[in-house]
Amino acid sequence: MDKKRIRLAVFAFFFLQGICFASWASRIPDIKTTLQLDDASWGTVLLMIPVGQITGMAFSGIIIPRIGSKRVLAFGMLGYAITLICIGLVSDKYSLLAALVVFGFFGNFCNIAVNTQGVTVEEMYNRPIMASFHGGWSLAGLCGACIGLLMSTLRIVPFYHFILVAVLTLAGILLNYSYLRQDKPSAQNQKEKQIARKNRPEPFLYLLGLIAFCGMAAEGAMMDWSGVYLQDIVNVQEWLAPIGLVAYMITMTSGRFIIDKVTHRWGRRRILQYAGTLIFSGLFLAVLIPHIIVTLFAFMIIGLGTAAIVPVVYSITGQQSKIPTGLALTIVSSISFLGFLLGPPLIGYVSHATSLRYSYALIGLFGITIILLSSQMKILRKQ
């Protein structure tokens, strides 16, 4: 059994999921402009991905235990890539709404299945490596943003861009599927269920979920709205709009690969406090000084802040909870992912009522919430 090749295979699937999502996010300004949608309408459009995710949750919890995360991941990634092509074909608002619901549906299957694979491989190594997998997703986001910027600069329409990504995804599935691992035996799952009945989830899990919710709301704001912010508020040319996502993903990706070493030196509590400060500072800097250079610098600050939140929170969850790790992570990740899914639509509605600058200021307050929660939680005082 080649552990390194198995780890690389799981890393590849994190990367493939990330580049599919980033490819969609990088072309948001183009699609929004083509369909001539205002911010409120676009907020409704972005809400469709959470609708699809929530719909998928009703099925993934039943299907994955029955047929295994390995098969579900391959099926989900294939559907994710095909739906991405369909997004490139849309010609009106309603077809885009339908496509994004399906995109979110397959995205949910990919997310749960690939993290299940990550947990399995982490147990093989007997040491924390989950952050490196999430780093793969962030690296894909950076690559996807760069490719999106190139495609937009060359005036290549999203459809042909998305076909290229889909072909890359199919090749990745074929090359790495055989190295994915089977899930835990059902007897072990049954044992975990018995333990779960004896121990109720600790209240701090929900607070950790709220911290991650705030961090992922900021992440969603950058993934879905950074290009629009540059185009509408900073007034950059349409072809240059994806550079905001590129700037954000550079520091987001770099931070994910160094966060383990920095956390060991400073401690998890301080890292979360610093992360909240960076998110707050970056968003308010972008709001107060909407100049291209300053805004790109602000986006890079936000990237450093959001890079730390999820890996640190998930690490604390796994170490401090008395209930099975899988159940604890499910609670925290479910709460946190709502921030990533619901934050962008909220921005659209607030922006339509006021301005996109006010929306970003609102998300900036989430950084303060992270600081306050991480400072007051007892579970973090010794972290």
Side-chain angles (χ1 to χ4, degrees):
M1 180 176 61
D2 188 347
K3 291 198 298 184
K4 290 184 178 180
R5 185 61 183 87
I6 294 170
R7 180 177 178 178
L8 178 61
V10 176
F11 182 91
F13 273 92
F14 270 91
F15 184 91
L16 293 173
Q17 184 185 3
I19 203 167
C20 283
F21 186 85
S23 297
W24 140 252
S26 70
R27 302 310 298 269
I28 280 176
D30 295 320
I31 296 173
K32 182 174 182 288
T33 300
T34 299
L35 298 182
Q36 298 181 338
L37 299 175
D38 59 28
D39 287 349
S41 297
W42 193 248
T44 301
V45 167
L46 295 179
L47 189 60
M48 293 303 102
I49 293 181
V51 169
Q53 288 272 355
I54 293 171
T55 304
M57 288 179 187
F59 295 94
S60 58
I62 299 173
I63 295 175
I64 291 178
R66 290 186 177 182
I67 68 175
S69 63
K70 180 178 179 178
R71 293 180 180 177
V72 171
L73 182 53
F75 166 77
M77 280 307 313
L78 182 60
Y80 208 43
I82 292 174
T83 309
L84 182 65
I85 296 175
C86 294
I87 293 173
L89 284 171
V90 298
S91 57
D92 58 72
K93 174 183 175 180
Y94 298 103
S95 58
L96 179 60
L97 293 176
L100 289 180
V101 169
V102 180
F103 193 62
F105 181 86
F106 282 116
N108 173 74
F109 277 88
C110 292
N111 183 58
I112 295 179
V114 78
N115 276 284
T116 302
Q117 285 288 317
V119 170
T120 301
V121 177
E122 189 174 51
E123 291 179 352
M124 290 170 52
Y125 275 77
N126 197 30
R127 60 183 173 86
I129 59 171
M130 184 64 78
S132 67
F133 289 139
H134 285 272
W137 194 97
S138 300
L139 179 62
L142 174 59
C143 293
C146 291
I147 294 172
L149 177 59
L150 176 63
M151 294 290 182
S152 182
T153 303
L154 296 176
R155 303 294 197 275
I156 296 176
V157 297
F159 173 66
Y160 296 112
H161 173 190
F162 294 164
I163 285 181
L164 176 64
V165 175
V167 171
L168 172 65
T169 301
L170 178 59
I173 294 172
L174 294 175
L175 288 172
N176 295 285
Y177 174 75
S178 62
Y179 294 96
L180 296 179
R181 310 312 296 163
Q182 298 295 339
D183 297 338
K184 294 179 181 180
S186 58
Q188 178 67 24
N189 290 335
Q190 185 63 33
K191 182 179 179 181
E192 288 193 357
K193 290 179 182 179
Q194 293 173 355
I195 296 174
R197 293 191 189 102
K198 297 179 180 178
N199 299 286
R200 294 183 178 180
E202 301 94 336
F204 73 77
L205 292 176
Y206 300 98
L207 294 178
L208 287 174
L210 183 56
I211 290 175
F213 175 96
C214 294
M216 293 196 74
E219 186 176 337
M222 298 306 301
M223 294 293 290
D224 288 352
W225 286 97
S226 58
V228 178
Y229 191 88
L230 285 180
Q231 191 172 327
D232 293 353
I233 304 300
V234 185
N235 295 319
V236 304
Q237 295 183 26
E238 181 181 337
W239 66 269
L240 192 59
I243 198 173
L245 184 58
V246 173
Y248 168 76
M249 292 306 303
I250 287 173
T251 51
M252 170 80 162
T253 303
S254 302
R256 283 270 164 92
F257 285 108
I258 65 173
I259 193 64
D260 288 333
K261 293 182 179 179
V262 177
T263 302
H264 180 71
R265 176 178 297 180
W266 291 343
R268 294 184 177 91
R269 182 187 184 189
R270 188 177 297 180
I271 287 294
L272 289 175
Q273 291 171 336
Y274 288 161
T277 302
L278 290 171
I279 291 171
F280 166 76
S281 302
L283 282 162
F284 272 83
L285 181 60
V287 169
L288 294 174
I289 311 177
H291 181 274
I292 179 62
I293 302 299
V294 177
T295 301
L296 291 178
F297 177 68
F299 286 179
M300 295 180 79
I301 293 175
I302 299 166
L304 282 177
T306 55
I309 299 295
V310 171
V312 171
V313 167
Y314 282 16
S315 179
I316 296 170
T317 301
Q319 291 186 9
Q320 298 297 321
S321 180
K322 295 180 180 178
I323 65 174
T325 302
L327 177 58
L329 285 175
T330 298
I331 293 171
V332 173
S333 63
S334 296
I335 298 172
S336 64
F337 210 68
L338 286 176
F340 187 75
L341 297 173
L342 299 180
L346 174 64
I347 289 174
Y349 295 130
V350 174
S351 175
H352 182 72
T354 55
S355 165
L356 189 52
R357 294 174 73 179
Y358 286 104
S359 297
Y360 262 37
L362 175 63
I363 300 299
L365 296 178
F366 286 3
I368 297 178
T369 303
I370 293 171
I371 299 171
L372 294 175
L373 286 174
S374 58
S375 299
Q376 297 299 319
M377 286 180 62
K378 293 181 179 180
I379 197 70
L380 295 177
R381 291 178 181 174
K382 295 182 180 181
Q383 294 290 316

